[in-house]
Amino acid sequence: MSNELKVTGGEWFSKREGFSTVYVFSRIGGGLVQEVAACGPTNDGQDQQEANAHLLAASKKLYEALIQARESLADSLATPGGWYAIGSNHARDVIAEIDEALAAARGEAQ
């Protein structure tokens, strides 16, 4: 399993452009930005539209944090006495759920 995420590099951020669309952009260097996604109007209004864009903009950081959490959990399982309070079966189930989420983020079929 490769944890490589093949997405636009750089910091992602959201910005409202006009009334109807909130965009997610990536800073790709040299002051340049690239559009990553556009969040159009929703039935529940601009607050929901902004929330969608913020979640998309944070997705790279969430992915990286999930990788770190998975590695920490796996390391703990490999350590004698690690995860004794919760139980190793539960920890393995959590790792499986994390692996599934990471694969989905990479566009891999499960």
Side-chain angles (χ1 to χ4, degrees), residues 25 39 47 68 85 100 110:
F25 293 105
C39 297
D47 288 345
Q68 290 177 355
E100 186 176 324
Q110 286 290 318

Side-chain angles (χ1 to χ4, degrees), residues 82-101:
W83 276 84
Y84 63 88
I86 295 178
S88 61
N89 287 338
H90 177 69
R92 285 185 184 88
D93 291 344
V94 171
I95 288 175
E97 289 176 23
I98 290 172
D99 286 343
E100 186 176 324

Side-chain angles (χ1 to χ4, degrees), residues 11-92:
E11 172 195 354
W12 287 19
F13 64 97
S14 63
K15 180 180 178 186
R16 178 171 291 283
E17 299 253 332
F19 178 75
S20 64
T21 306
V22 180
Y23 291 94
V24 176
F25 293 105
S26 174
R27 295 186 198 287
I28 57 175
L32 298 174
V33 296
Q34 179 176 338
E35 180 185 327
V36 175
C39 297
T42 70
N43 289 338
D44 291 331
Q46 289 185 345
D47 288 345
Q48 186 179 58
Q49 183 185 31
E50 294 275 348
N52 291 342
H54 290 309
L55 179 60
L56 289 170
S59 62
K60 278 181 57 176
K61 288 181 182 178
L62 291 168
Y63 184 87
E64 291 163 3
L66 198 52
I67 287 173
Q68 290 177 355
R70 188 215 182 278
E71 289 172 358
S72 293
L73 184 55
D75 288 347
S76 179
L77 272 174
T79 303
W83 276 84
Y84 63 88
I86 295 178
S88 61
N89 287 338
H90 177 69
R92 285 185 184 88

